[in-house]
Amino acid sequence: MSATEIRVLCNGEHRRLAAGRTLAEHLPQLTQACDFAVAINAVFVPKSAYAETRLVDGDRIELVIPMQGG
Amino acid sequence: MWQLAEQTLDSRLLIGSSLYPSPRIMQAAIRASGAGVVTVALRRQLPGAGGGDDFWAALRELDVRLLPNTAGCHSAREAITTAQMARELFGTRWIKLEVIGDDYNLQPDPFGLVEAARELVAQGFEVFPYCTEDLVVCERLVDAGCRILMPWGAPIGTARGLLNPYGLRTLRERLPDITLIVDAGLGVPSHAAQALELGFDAVLLNTAIAQAHDPVAMASAFRHGVSAGRLAFEAGRMPERDLAQPSTPVVGTPFWHQQ
């Protein structure tokens, strides 16, 4: 892994992303959904915190959308 | 009209949004059911995994209140994080709290449930715990701050109806001020009617409607079953007796003579 890259797990899939960027900057790469919510390392990240949340190597990202439920 | 948390509702039927043949049939079935509350979930966005725009668009066309769930969570921690994501995604503080303890029959984990309920109530959620009909577990959930309880009728998706009417009746008698909703295990409208006849405030079901041969017709049937059960409860049933008692007057019976 180069210093300019981090490896993360997004919804169970390995992804390589540019290092030193925030969640807000990465999101267009991670989802096309309009309605979604995020947890990093099993901790909820509110929308208001996207711009100040910096992803680091090894982060586990859960990105969820509305789904049918009972 | 009745009161569920801060919401005034016409229907005592809450309905799920899963397992329908198509989003359009889901929409028609929800309309036919008359339900004012619909359960939803959140899941990873995966290619070909269902959900997506069609489902979400069909649901948003309906004038219903959403009740997101924490289905699939196996620990209080997972359920709490899921509830937080649901609150933001669906814009509601209502959460159907599921913490599963056993994968074989999807039986709720009472310990994880109480732990998660206490934390979520503290965070301002209206917690609808999916629980068993165990009286002590239900009392602990009330102690944790729950005003609504949703004991199972039978395990999810089994269509077996109320397996323990005694336990459910006991809950109703012991927790008169708590909103009680039978959630899961119902198969036919008579099961729903029975729950309402026992004095339960409402029922929540999904599979019995979604997997019926004609989900829209079955939704309508459940609507009537719920109405009939509630009306019967309000009317006040006659007591059970061990021996027969003639309904036709005995005095003046023809051909009668003293033995």
mmCIF file of all heavy atoms in Angstrom, chain B residues 22-71:
data_model
loop_
_atom_site.group_PDB
_atom_site.id
_atom_site.type_symbol
_atom_site.label_atom_id
_atom_site.label_comp_id
_atom_site.label_asym_id
_atom_site.label_seq_id
_atom_site.Cartn_x
_atom_site.Cartn_y
_atom_site.Cartn_z
ATOM 1 N N SER B 22 -44.314 -7.633 -5.836
ATOM 2 C CA SER B 22 -43.768 -6.449 -6.525
ATOM 3 C C SER B 22 -44.061 -5.213 -5.678
ATOM 4 O O SER B 22 -44.954 -5.235 -4.818
ATOM 5 C CB SER B 22 -44.416 -6.278 -7.897
ATOM 6 O OG SER B 22 -45.746 -5.813 -7.742
ATOM 7 N N PRO B 23 -43.336 -4.115 -5.914
ATOM 8 C CA PRO B 23 -43.630 -2.877 -5.183
ATOM 9 C C PRO B 23 -45.061 -2.379 -5.403
ATOM 10 O O PRO B 23 -45.687 -1.830 -4.503
ATOM 11 C CB PRO B 23 -42.614 -1.884 -5.757
ATOM 12 C CG PRO B 23 -41.474 -2.729 -6.214
ATOM 13 C CD PRO B 23 -42.108 -3.986 -6.724
ATOM 14 N N ARG B 24 -45.603 -2.599 -6.610
ATOM 15 C CA ARG B 24 -46.976 -2.146 -6.886
ATOM 16 C C ARG B 24 -47.983 -2.940 -6.064
ATOM 17 O O ARG B 24 -48.958 -2.387 -5.541
ATOM 18 C CB ARG B 24 -47.303 -2.293 -8.384
ATOM 19 C CG ARG B 24 -46.659 -1.246 -9.231
ATOM 20 C CD ARG B 24 -47.179 0.170 -8.932
ATOM 21 N NE ARG B 24 -46.068 1.118 -8.940
ATOM 22 C CZ ARG B 24 -46.091 2.329 -8.387
ATOM 23 N NH1 ARG B 24 -47.162 2.751 -7.732
ATOM 24 N NH2 ARG B 24 -45.041 3.112 -8.446
ATOM 25 N N ILE B 25 -47.763 -4.247 -5.970
ATOM 26 C CA ILE B 25 -48.684 -5.076 -5.166
ATOM 27 C C ILE B 25 -48.538 -4.716 -3.692
ATOM 28 O O ILE B 25 -49.523 -4.645 -2.951
ATOM 29 C CB ILE B 25 -48.434 -6.580 -5.422
ATOM 30 C CG1 ILE B 25 -48.848 -6.922 -6.862
ATOM 31 C CG2 ILE B 25 -49.209 -7.445 -4.421
ATOM 32 C CD1 ILE B 25 -48.533 -8.338 -7.290
ATOM 33 N N MET B 26 -47.298 -4.435 -3.271
ATOM 34 C CA MET B 26 -47.097 -3.971 -1.887
ATOM 35 C C MET B 26 -47.935 -2.725 -1.627
ATOM 36 O O MET B 26 -48.650 -2.636 -0.620
ATOM 37 C CB MET B 26 -45.620 -3.644 -1.654
ATOM 38 C CG MET B 26 -45.352 -2.988 -0.298
ATOM 39 S SD MET B 26 -43.745 -2.160 -0.206
ATOM 40 C CE MET B 26 -44.083 -0.650 -1.123
ATOM 41 N N GLN B 27 -47.859 -1.792 -2.553
ATOM 42 C CA GLN B 27 -48.570 -0.524 -2.380
ATOM 43 C C GLN B 27 -50.084 -0.756 -2.318
ATOM 44 O O GLN B 27 -50.779 -0.207 -1.442
ATOM 45 C CB GLN B 27 -48.220 0.395 -3.550
ATOM 46 C CG GLN B 27 -48.594 1.831 -3.342
ATOM 47 C CD GLN B 27 -48.280 2.658 -4.575
ATOM 48 O OE1 GLN B 27 -48.724 2.329 -5.679
ATOM 49 N NE2 GLN B 27 -47.526 3.714 -4.404
ATOM 50 N N ALA B 28 -50.587 -1.592 -3.228
ATOM 51 C CA ALA B 28 -52.031 -1.862 -3.254
ATOM 52 C C ALA B 28 -52.463 -2.591 -1.983
ATOM 53 O O ALA B 28 -53.540 -2.325 -1.434
ATOM 54 C CB ALA B 28 -52.374 -2.690 -4.492
ATOM 55 N N ALA B 29 -51.629 -3.517 -1.508
ATOM 56 C CA ALA B 29 -51.982 -4.280 -0.300
ATOM 57 C C ALA B 29 -51.993 -3.376 0.925
ATOM 58 O O ALA B 29 -52.882 -3.480 1.780
ATOM 59 C CB ALA B 29 -50.999 -5.438 -0.109
ATOM 60 N N ILE B 30 -51.033 -2.486 1.011
ATOM 61 C CA ILE B 30 -50.989 -1.572 2.165
ATOM 62 C C ILE B 30 -52.235 -0.678 2.151
ATOM 63 O O ILE B 30 -52.878 -0.472 3.184
ATOM 64 C CB ILE B 30 -49.691 -0.744 2.165
ATOM 65 C CG1 ILE B 30 -48.487 -1.655 2.444
ATOM 66 C CG2 ILE B 30 -49.759 0.376 3.218
ATOM 67 C CD1 ILE B 30 -47.129 -0.984 2.290
ATOM 68 N N ARG B 31 -52.599 -0.205 0.971
ATOM 69 C CA ARG B 31 -53.817 0.618 0.867
ATOM 70 C C ARG B 31 -55.036 -0.191 1.296
ATOM 71 O O ARG B 31 -55.880 0.294 2.050
ATOM 72 C CB ARG B 31 -54.006 1.119 -0.570
ATOM 73 C CG ARG B 31 -53.057 2.251 -0.937
ATOM 74 C CD ARG B 31 -53.614 3.099 -2.082
ATOM 75 N NE ARG B 31 -52.765 4.268 -2.313
ATOM 76 C CZ ARG B 31 -51.944 4.415 -3.346
ATOM 77 N NH1 ARG B 31 -51.865 3.475 -4.272
ATOM 78 N NH2 ARG B 31 -51.208 5.505 -3.476
ATOM 79 N N ALA B 32 -55.134 -1.430 0.803
ATOM 80 C CA ALA B 32 -56.309 -2.262 1.113
ATOM 81 C C ALA B 32 -56.378 -2.609 2.600
ATOM 82 O O ALA B 32 -57.458 -2.802 3.146
ATOM 83 C CB ALA B 32 -56.269 -3.544 0.279
ATOM 84 N N SER B 33 -55.224 -2.676 3.243
ATOM 85 C CA SER B 33 -55.194 -3.049 4.670
ATOM 86 C C SER B 33 -55.720 -1.917 5.548
ATOM 87 O O SER B 33 -56.162 -2.157 6.672
ATOM 88 C CB SER B 33 -53.766 -3.396 5.100
ATOM 89 O OG SER B 33 -52.991 -2.212 5.275
ATOM 90 N N GLY B 34 -55.643 -0.701 5.043
ATOM 91 C CA GLY B 34 -56.050 0.449 5.855
ATOM 92 C C GLY B 34 -55.014 0.833 6.896
ATOM 93 O O GLY B 34 -55.240 1.761 7.684
ATOM 94 N N ALA B 35 -53.885 0.145 6.921
ATOM 95 C CA ALA B 35 -52.868 0.400 7.952
ATOM 96 C C ALA B 35 -52.298 1.811 7.819
ATOM 97 O O ALA B 35 -52.103 2.314 6.701
ATOM 98 C CB ALA B 35 -51.742 -0.623 7.844
ATOM 99 N N GLY B 36 -52.030 2.416 8.963
ATOM 100 C CA GLY B 36 -51.435 3.747 8.966
ATOM 101 C C GLY B 36 -49.971 3.733 9.331
ATOM 102 O O GLY B 36 -49.308 4.777 9.330
ATOM 103 N N VAL B 37 -49.462 2.536 9.680
ATOM 104 C CA VAL B 37 -48.058 2.389 10.066
ATOM 105 C C VAL B 37 -47.467 1.227 9.270
ATOM 106 O O VAL B 37 -48.062 0.145 9.208
ATOM 107 C CB VAL B 37 -47.910 2.121 11.573
ATOM 108 C CG1 VAL B 37 -46.455 1.869 11.941
ATOM 109 C CG2 VAL B 37 -48.475 3.278 12.389
ATOM 110 N N VAL B 38 -46.301 1.459 8.665
ATOM 111 C CA VAL B 38 -45.651 0.438 7.837
ATOM 112 C C VAL B 38 -44.214 0.243 8.315
ATOM 113 O O VAL B 38 -43.475 1.222 8.483
ATOM 114 C CB VAL B 38 -45.645 0.858 6.347
ATOM 115 C CG1 VAL B 38 -44.941 -0.187 5.493
ATOM 116 C CG2 VAL B 38 -47.063 1.078 5.845
ATOM 117 N N THR B 39 -43.830 -1.007 8.507
ATOM 118 C CA THR B 39 -42.449 -1.279 8.928
ATOM 119 C C THR B 39 -41.516 -1.307 7.718
ATOM 120 O O THR B 39 -41.882 -1.763 6.636
ATOM 121 C CB THR B 39 -42.324 -2.609 9.694
ATOM 122 O OG1 THR B 39 -42.887 -3.650 8.910
ATOM 123 C CG2 THR B 39 -43.032 -2.529 11.025
ATOM 124 N N VAL B 40 -40.305 -0.816 7.952
ATOM 125 C CA VAL B 40 -39.262 -0.797 6.922
ATOM 126 C C VAL B 40 -37.941 -1.216 7.580
ATOM 127 O O VAL B 40 -37.856 -1.309 8.805
ATOM 128 C CB VAL B 40 -39.085 0.607 6.299
ATOM 129 C CG1 VAL B 40 -40.265 0.959 5.410
ATOM 130 C CG2 VAL B 40 -38.899 1.666 7.369
ATOM 131 N N ALA B 41 -36.935 -1.433 6.748
ATOM 132 C CA ALA B 41 -35.632 -1.834 7.261
ATOM 133 C C ALA B 41 -34.553 -1.018 6.564
ATOM 134 O O ALA B 41 -34.838 -0.218 5.675
ATOM 135 C CB ALA B 41 -35.408 -3.323 7.002
ATOM 136 N N LEU B 42 -33.322 -1.207 6.987
ATOM 137 C CA LEU B 42 -32.214 -0.661 6.219
ATOM 138 C C LEU B 42 -31.186 -1.753 6.011
ATOM 139 O O LEU B 42 -30.980 -2.617 6.841
ATOM 140 C CB LEU B 42 -31.607 0.579 6.883
ATOM 141 C CG LEU B 42 -31.653 0.775 8.383
ATOM 142 C CD1 LEU B 42 -30.533 0.000 9.015
ATOM 143 C CD2 LEU B 42 -31.518 2.243 8.700
ATOM 144 N N ARG B 43 -30.618 -1.724 4.826
ATOM 145 C CA ARG B 43 -29.682 -2.762 4.423
ATOM 146 C C ARG B 43 -28.586 -2.150 3.571
ATOM 147 O O ARG B 43 -28.750 -1.076 3.017
ATOM 148 C CB ARG B 43 -30.414 -3.837 3.597
ATOM 149 C CG ARG B 43 -31.284 -4.777 4.423
ATOM 150 C CD ARG B 43 -30.410 -5.728 5.220
ATOM 151 N NE ARG B 43 -31.184 -6.677 6.020
ATOM 152 C CZ ARG B 43 -31.528 -6.474 7.288
ATOM 153 N NH1 ARG B 43 -31.204 -5.353 7.892
ATOM 154 N NH2 ARG B 43 -32.170 -7.397 7.968
ATOM 155 N N ARG B 44 -27.480 -2.882 3.478
ATOM 156 C CA ARG B 44 -26.424 -2.482 2.570
ATOM 157 C C ARG B 44 -26.963 -2.390 1.148
ATOM 158 O O ARG B 44 -27.783 -3.213 0.745
ATOM 159 C CB ARG B 44 -25.314 -3.533 2.566
ATOM 160 C CG ARG B 44 -24.497 -3.570 3.827
ATOM 161 C CD ARG B 44 -23.581 -4.760 3.796
ATOM 162 N NE ARG B 44 -22.607 -4.720 4.882
ATOM 163 C CZ ARG B 44 -21.762 -5.714 5.155
ATOM 164 N NH1 ARG B 44 -21.784 -6.817 4.436
ATOM 165 N NH2 ARG B 44 -20.899 -5.591 6.138
ATOM 166 N N GLN B 45 -26.463 -1.414 0.425
ATOM 167 C CA GLN B 45 -26.818 -1.310 -0.993
ATOM 168 C C GLN B 45 -25.951 -2.292 -1.763
ATOM 169 O O GLN B 45 -24.746 -2.090 -1.910
ATOM 170 C CB GLN B 45 -26.571 0.104 -1.496
ATOM 171 C CG GLN B 45 -27.041 0.302 -2.920
ATOM 172 C CD GLN B 45 -26.865 1.736 -3.380
ATOM 173 O OE1 GLN B 45 -26.027 2.449 -2.855
ATOM 174 N NE2 GLN B 45 -27.653 2.144 -4.351
ATOM 175 N N LEU B 46 -26.574 -3.382 -2.224
ATOM 176 C CA LEU B 46 -25.833 -4.387 -2.975
ATOM 177 C C LEU B 46 -26.522 -4.602 -4.310
ATOM 178 O O LEU B 46 -27.750 -4.562 -4.387
ATOM 179 C CB LEU B 46 -25.798 -5.717 -2.206
ATOM 180 C CG LEU B 46 -25.105 -5.675 -0.835
ATOM 181 C CD1 LEU B 46 -25.317 -6.994 -0.101
ATOM 182 C CD2 LEU B 46 -23.613 -5.400 -0.992
ATOM 183 N N PRO B 47 -25.756 -4.842 -5.378
ATOM 184 C CA PRO B 47 -26.387 -5.041 -6.681
ATOM 185 C C PRO B 47 -27.342 -6.229 -6.656
ATOM 186 O O PRO B 47 -26.997 -7.292 -6.147
ATOM 187 C CB PRO B 47 -25.195 -5.320 -7.617
ATOM 188 C CG PRO B 47 -23.960 -5.068 -6.842
ATOM 189 C CD PRO B 47 -24.299 -4.937 -5.408
ATOM 190 N N GLY B 48 -28.566 -6.014 -7.145
ATOM 191 C CA GLY B 48 -29.531 -7.114 -7.249
ATOM 192 C C GLY B 48 -30.101 -7.601 -5.940
ATOM 193 O O GLY B 48 -30.642 -8.695 -5.854
ATOM 194 N N ALA B 49 -30.023 -6.779 -4.892
ATOM 195 C CA ALA B 49 -30.480 -7.242 -3.584
ATOM 196 C C ALA B 49 -31.880 -6.737 -3.238
ATOM 197 O O ALA B 49 -32.280 -6.750 -2.103
ATOM 198 C CB ALA B 49 -29.495 -6.790 -2.515
ATOM 199 N N GLY B 50 -32.616 -6.303 -4.236
ATOM 200 C CA GLY B 50 -33.955 -5.791 -3.951
ATOM 201 C C GLY B 50 -33.882 -4.387 -3.401
ATOM 202 O O GLY B 50 -32.850 -3.725 -3.467
ATOM 203 N N GLY B 51 -35.005 -3.961 -2.822
ATOM 204 C CA GLY B 51 -35.043 -2.604 -2.287
ATOM 205 C C GLY B 51 -34.908 -1.620 -3.430
ATOM 206 O O GLY B 51 -35.474 -1.808 -4.500
ATOM 207 N N GLY B 52 -34.153 -0.598 -3.189
ATOM 208 C CA GLY B 52 -33.879 0.328 -4.261
ATOM 209 C C GLY B 52 -35.016 1.274 -4.549
ATOM 210 O O GLY B 52 -35.958 1.400 -3.785
ATOM 211 N N ASP B 53 -34.907 1.923 -5.689
ATOM 212 C CA ASP B 53 -35.760 3.066 -5.990
ATOM 213 C C ASP B 53 -37.230 2.721 -6.137
ATOM 214 O O ASP B 53 -38.092 3.460 -5.677
ATOM 215 C CB ASP B 53 -35.251 3.754 -7.259
ATOM 216 C CG ASP B 53 -33.853 4.340 -7.053
ATOM 217 O OD1 ASP B 53 -33.478 4.502 -5.880
ATOM 218 O OD2 ASP B 53 -33.166 4.585 -8.049
ATOM 219 N N ASP B 54 -37.552 1.588 -6.800
ATOM 220 C CA ASP B 54 -38.958 1.255 -7.041
ATOM 221 C C ASP B 54 -39.701 1.085 -5.724
ATOM 222 O O ASP B 54 -40.792 1.603 -5.527
ATOM 223 C CB ASP B 54 -39.075 -0.044 -7.847
ATOM 224 C CG ASP B 54 -38.669 0.168 -9.294
ATOM 225 O OD1 ASP B 54 -38.470 1.340 -9.667
ATOM 226 O OD2 ASP B 54 -38.548 -0.834 -10.008
ATOM 227 N N PHE B 55 -39.096 0.321 -4.838
ATOM 228 C CA PHE B 55 -39.722 0.060 -3.540
ATOM 229 C C PHE B 55 -39.889 1.347 -2.753
ATOM 230 O O PHE B 55 -40.967 1.651 -2.238
ATOM 231 C CB PHE B 55 -38.859 -0.936 -2.752
ATOM 232 C CG PHE B 55 -39.000 -0.799 -1.267
ATOM 233 C CD1 PHE B 55 -40.140 -1.241 -0.618
ATOM 234 C CD2 PHE B 55 -37.997 -0.194 -0.511
ATOM 235 C CE1 PHE B 55 -40.285 -1.094 0.751
ATOM 236 C CE2 PHE B 55 -38.131 -0.035 0.852
ATOM 237 C CZ PHE B 55 -39.280 -0.483 1.484
ATOM 238 N N TRP B 56 -38.841 2.121 -2.699
ATOM 239 C CA TRP B 56 -38.838 3.335 -1.879
ATOM 240 C C TRP B 56 -39.813 4.366 -2.447
ATOM 241 O O TRP B 56 -40.546 5.025 -1.706
ATOM 242 C CB TRP B 56 -37.402 3.862 -1.793
ATOM 243 C CG TRP B 56 -37.141 4.980 -0.842
ATOM 244 C CD1 TRP B 56 -36.358 6.066 -1.078
ATOM 245 C CD2 TRP B 56 -37.615 5.140 0.502
ATOM 246 N NE1 TRP B 56 -36.314 6.881 0.019
ATOM 247 C CE2 TRP B 56 -37.082 6.344 1.001
ATOM 248 C CE3 TRP B 56 -38.447 4.389 1.329
ATOM 249 C CZ2 TRP B 56 -37.339 6.819 2.284
ATOM 250 C CZ3 TRP B 56 -38.720 4.856 2.614
ATOM 251 C CH2 TRP B 56 -38.165 6.056 3.074
ATOM 252 N N ALA B 57 -39.870 4.456 -3.774
ATOM 253 C CA ALA B 57 -40.800 5.393 -4.417
ATOM 254 C C ALA B 57 -42.242 4.968 -4.154
ATOM 255 O O ALA B 57 -43.106 5.800 -3.842
ATOM 256 C CB ALA B 57 -40.524 5.459 -5.915
ATOM 257 N N ALA B 58 -42.515 3.663 -4.249
ATOM 258 C CA ALA B 58 -43.879 3.161 -4.030
ATOM 259 C C ALA B 58 -44.315 3.431 -2.593
ATOM 260 O O ALA B 58 -45.466 3.780 -2.329
ATOM 261 C CB ALA B 58 -43.946 1.664 -4.336
ATOM 262 N N LEU B 59 -43.397 3.277 -1.685
ATOM 263 C CA LEU B 59 -43.728 3.490 -0.269
ATOM 264 C C LEU B 59 -43.978 4.967 0.021
ATOM 265 O O LEU B 59 -44.878 5.331 0.780
ATOM 266 C CB LEU B 59 -42.581 2.958 0.594
ATOM 267 C CG LEU B 59 -42.900 2.693 2.052
ATOM 268 C CD1 LEU B 59 -44.062 1.718 2.191
ATOM 269 C CD2 LEU B 59 -41.674 2.140 2.767
ATOM 270 N N ARG B 60 -43.188 5.816 -0.623
ATOM 271 C CA ARG B 60 -43.309 7.249 -0.327
ATOM 272 C C ARG B 60 -44.580 7.869 -0.913
ATOM 273 O O ARG B 60 -44.957 8.967 -0.525
ATOM 274 C CB ARG B 60 -42.059 7.986 -0.804
ATOM 275 C CG ARG B 60 -40.849 7.533 0.004
ATOM 276 C CD ARG B 60 -39.824 8.599 0.204
ATOM 277 N NE ARG B 60 -39.251 9.079 -1.039
ATOM 278 C CZ ARG B 60 -38.159 9.832 -1.087
ATOM 279 N NH1 ARG B 60 -37.535 10.168 0.032
ATOM 280 N NH2 ARG B 60 -37.676 10.246 -2.234
ATOM 281 N N GLU B 61 -45.195 7.148 -1.837
ATOM 282 C CA GLU B 61 -46.468 7.645 -2.376
ATOM 283 C C GLU B 61 -47.616 7.457 -1.385
ATOM 284 O O GLU B 61 -48.691 8.016 -1.561
ATOM 285 C CB GLU B 61 -46.809 6.915 -3.685
ATOM 286 C CG GLU B 61 -45.976 7.392 -4.862
ATOM 287 C CD GLU B 61 -46.204 6.559 -6.108
ATOM 288 O OE1 GLU B 61 -47.221 5.829 -6.164
ATOM 289 O OE2 GLU B 61 -45.363 6.626 -7.018
ATOM 290 N N LEU B 62 -47.377 6.620 -0.372
ATOM 291 C CA LEU B 62 -48.437 6.327 0.596
ATOM 292 C C LEU B 62 -48.388 7.315 1.752
ATOM 293 O O LEU B 62 -47.316 7.753 2.159
ATOM 294 C CB LEU B 62 -48.260 4.906 1.150
ATOM 295 C CG LEU B 62 -48.361 3.773 0.135
ATOM 296 C CD1 LEU B 62 -47.850 2.474 0.757
ATOM 297 C CD2 LEU B 62 -49.805 3.600 -0.339
ATOM 298 N N ASP B 63 -49.561 7.615 2.279
ATOM 299 C CA ASP B 63 -49.643 8.525 3.412
ATOM 300 C C ASP B 63 -49.622 7.692 4.689
ATOM 301 O O ASP B 63 -50.656 7.470 5.321
ATOM 302 C CB ASP B 63 -50.935 9.351 3.314
ATOM 303 C CG ASP B 63 -51.061 10.323 4.471
ATOM 304 O OD1 ASP B 63 -50.023 10.707 5.045
ATOM 305 O OD2 ASP B 63 -52.206 10.689 4.809
ATOM 306 N N VAL B 64 -48.429 7.192 5.035
ATOM 307 C CA VAL B 64 -48.307 6.321 6.207
ATOM 308 C C VAL B 64 -47.132 6.765 7.073
ATOM 309 O O VAL B 64 -46.225 7.451 6.607
ATOM 310 C CB VAL B 64 -48.081 4.840 5.804
ATOM 311 C CG1 VAL B 64 -49.324 4.266 5.155
ATOM 312 C CG2 VAL B 64 -46.861 4.693 4.906
ATOM 313 N N ARG B 65 -47.186 6.339 8.302
ATOM 314 C CA ARG B 65 -46.094 6.578 9.240
ATOM 315 C C ARG B 65 -45.140 5.386 9.149
ATOM 316 O O ARG B 65 -45.578 4.238 9.153
ATOM 317 C CB ARG B 65 -46.690 6.700 10.639
ATOM 318 C CG ARG B 65 -45.710 6.856 11.743
ATOM 319 C CD ARG B 65 -45.690 8.260 12.273
ATOM 320 N NE ARG B 65 -44.493 8.430 13.081
ATOM 321 C CZ ARG B 65 -44.390 9.281 14.067
ATOM 322 N NH1 ARG B 65 -45.398 10.045 14.397
ATOM 323 N NH2 ARG B 65 -43.253 9.401 14.750
ATOM 324 N N LEU B 66 -43.850 5.626 9.088
ATOM 325 C CA LEU B 66 -42.884 4.536 8.964
ATOM 326 C C LEU B 66 -42.381 4.101 10.334
ATOM 327 O O LEU B 66 -42.160 4.924 11.223
ATOM 328 C CB LEU B 66 -41.693 4.960 8.097
ATOM 329 C CG LEU B 66 -42.007 5.315 6.646
ATOM 330 C CD1 LEU B 66 -40.729 5.705 5.909
ATOM 331 C CD2 LEU B 66 -42.700 4.157 5.927
ATOM 332 N N LEU B 67 -42.227 2.786 10.466
ATOM 333 C CA LEU B 67 -41.656 2.205 11.681
ATOM 334 C C LEU B 67 -40.444 1.367 11.278
ATOM 335 O O LEU B 67 -40.590 0.203 10.899
ATOM 336 C CB LEU B 67 -42.707 1.336 12.409
ATOM 337 C CG LEU B 67 -42.230 0.552 13.632
ATOM 338 C CD1 LEU B 67 -41.642 1.461 14.694
ATOM 339 C CD2 LEU B 67 -43.370 -0.284 14.208
ATOM 340 N N PRO B 68 -39.240 1.957 11.297
ATOM 341 C CA PRO B 68 -38.059 1.177 10.917
ATOM 342 C C PRO B 68 -37.730 0.113 11.956
ATOM 343 O O PRO B 68 -38.002 0.302 13.151
ATOM 344 C CB PRO B 68 -36.932 2.217 10.846
ATOM 345 C CG PRO B 68 -37.459 3.463 11.437
ATOM 346 C CD PRO B 68 -38.941 3.347 11.613
ATOM 347 N N ASN B 69 -37.133 -0.994 11.479
ATOM 348 C CA ASN B 69 -36.762 -2.062 12.408
ATOM 349 C C ASN B 69 -35.250 -2.249 12.469
ATOM 350 O O ASN B 69 -34.508 -1.673 11.673
ATOM 351 C CB ASN B 69 -37.470 -3.376 12.038
ATOM 352 C CG ASN B 69 -36.963 -3.968 10.732
ATOM 353 O OD1 ASN B 69 -35.802 -3.797 10.362
ATOM 354 N ND2 ASN B 69 -37.820 -4.679 10.021
ATOM 355 N N THR B 70 -34.828 -3.038 13.452
ATOM 356 C CA THR B 70 -33.403 -3.390 13.565
ATOM 357 C C THR B 70 -33.232 -4.875 13.263
ATOM 358 O O THR B 70 -32.431 -5.553 13.903
ATOM 359 C CB THR B 70 -32.838 -3.050 14.962
ATOM 360 O OG1 THR B 70 -33.478 -3.889 15.937
ATOM 361 C CG2 THR B 70 -33.059 -1.596 15.324
ATOM 362 N N ALA B 71 -34.008 -5.383 12.310
ATOM 363 C CA ALA B 71 -33.984 -6.812 11.986
ATOM 364 C C ALA B 71 -32.573 -7.281 11.676
ATOM 365 O O ALA B 71 -31.813 -6.588 11.004
ATOM 366 C CB ALA B 71 -34.890 -7.084 10.800
#
